[in-house]
Amino acid sequence: MATIGQIWPFERRRCLKAHGIIILLFLDPCLQCVNGYLSSPHVGQEPPYSRDAQPVITSPVVPAPSSASPTDSDSYASKCPSGGQCNRLPADCINCSYHHNCSYGKPASFSCKAKRGVHCTVESGKQQTNFSLSITCQFCWQLDLSQYRCSNSTSCMTVACPRKRYNATCQVLDHVHCLGKREFQKRLYCNWTGGYKWSTALALSITLGGFGADRFYLGQWREGLGKLFSFGGLGIWTLIDVLLIGAGYVGPADGSLYI
């Protein structure tokens, strides 16, 4: 029994030693993680200074050149002559204080100013920014047809009774000055041509109208075939077409005007 009692303390020490080794093996990785966390820089904390480390100097941020579209000054400066007379500048190169207190159709004077970057002179040759411009008192949509350009429609019938109209967008020419908006809407008569000649159509109707040559030329295939197989309606259809084409009532199938 004494021997057994002497063995137990020895076994007890061996067990405690084994448990201690196991605990140290588990604690070692944990201590390494804690040490690494404490030695690493945290948010809002400066990294540890090193003698070999060189200071980093950051230059101020310079914005990249903008790729936006050119400014308004660049758009009008290209078509504004430099050194010319102020009253001859295009409308896009000047700003005028237009008012409607004038008599329609009569000359009226308005105060104008050249836009930034535009240089002009008065009649005496002196360079000046502010000047007086004299124009006819009328709105832009009241101008003569030769003083503005309008969009053309190729989808309306020009040969019709009554004549067809279409909505056109019109723009005043650069050198023309007027009151109100320089771009406006206007209802115009259909006026375009597909290249057909009235003289050619009439000549075909007189000579070969019995075979439908005039209708074929104008692009009217069904009427041309009808005249061809009916021998011009036994001459009656041919005579009628000569009169209709001569009067301009029958035109090209696309609805355009004769040349």
Side-chain angles (χ1 to χ4, degrees):
M1 295 295 294
T3 307
I4 295 173
Q6 291 175 358
I7 293 174
W8 281 357
F10 178 73
E11 293 293 335
R12 227 179 256 168
R13 286 194 298 271
R14 289 183 60 186
C15 290
L16 291 174
K17 186 177 181 181
H19 284 84
I21 293 172
I22 293 172
I23 292 172
L24 289 174
L25 290 175
F26 277 103
L27 288 176
D28 184 65
C30 296
L31 292 174
Q32 290 181 1
C33 292
V34 172
N35 184 33
Y37 175 78
L38 294 175
S39 61
S40 62
H42 303 292
V43 178
Q45 214 176 18
E46 294 293 334
Y49 178 79
S50 174
R51 286 185 180 178
D52 299 332
Q54 297 294 330
V56 179
I57 303 175
T58 58
S59 59
V61 178
V62 179
S66 174
S67 59
S69 59
T71 59
D72 293 338
S73 60
D74 296 334
S75 61
Y76 67 74
S78 59
K79 56 182 178 181
C80 296
S82 180
Q85 291 190 10
C86 296
N87 55 4
R88 295 181 179 272
L89 286 174
D92 292 338
C93 304
I94 59 177
N95 291 320
C96 296
S97 56
Y98 292 120
H99 57 82
H100 303 160
N101 188 20
C102 57
S103 299
Y104 173 74
K106 295 183 178 180
S109 296
F110 301 96
S111 298
C112 299
K113 180 179 180 181
K115 289 186 177 180
R116 182 169 58 89
V118 179
H119 305 285
C120 62
T121 60
V122 292
E123 295 181 357
S124 61
K126 182 181 179 181
Q127 183 171 336
Q128 196 166 347
T129 304
N130 299 320
F131 60 96
S132 179
L133 180 66
S134 179
I135 64 172
T136 302
C137 179
Q138 59 183 349
F139 288 99
C140 294
W141 59 270
Q142 296 173 321
L143 293 171
D144 187 75
L145 289 174
S146 61
Q147 295 181 317
Y148 56 85
R149 294 288 180 267
C150 298
S151 60
N152 202 357
S153 174
T154 57
S155 60
C156 62
M157 298 290 291
T158 58
V159 182
C161 186
R163 290 183 63 186
K164 300 292 183 180
R165 293 174 179 261
Y166 71 98
N167 294 325
T169 302
C170 303
Q171 179 74 36
V172 181
L173 299 180
D174 291 339
H175 66 280
V176 179
H177 301 277
C178 55
L179 305 180
K181 294 183 179 180
R182 301 183 61 81
E183 183 174 323
F184 52 91
Q185 300 290 323
K186 206 165 189 179
R187 283 188 62 81
L188 301 176
Y189 285 109
C190 299
N191 185 22
W192 64 283
T193 179
Y196 297 94
K197 292 184 177 182
W198 173 81
S199 58
T200 303
L202 183 61
L204 290 174
S205 182
I206 295 173
T207 57
L208 300 174
F211 302 99
D214 50 352
R215 295 282 184 165
F216 285 126
Y217 171 73
L218 296 175
Q220 301 174 4
W221 297 95
R222 289 177 295 182
E223 291 83 353
L225 291 173
K227 290 182 70 174
L228 177 63
F229 291 111
S230 66
F231 298 102
L234 300 177
I236 300 175
W237 194 350
T238 303
L239 179 61
I240 293 174
D241 270 358
V242 171
L243 297 176
L244 293 178
I245 293 176
Y249 186 80
V250 174
D254 58 5
S256 64
L257 291 174
Y258 289 113
I259 297 178

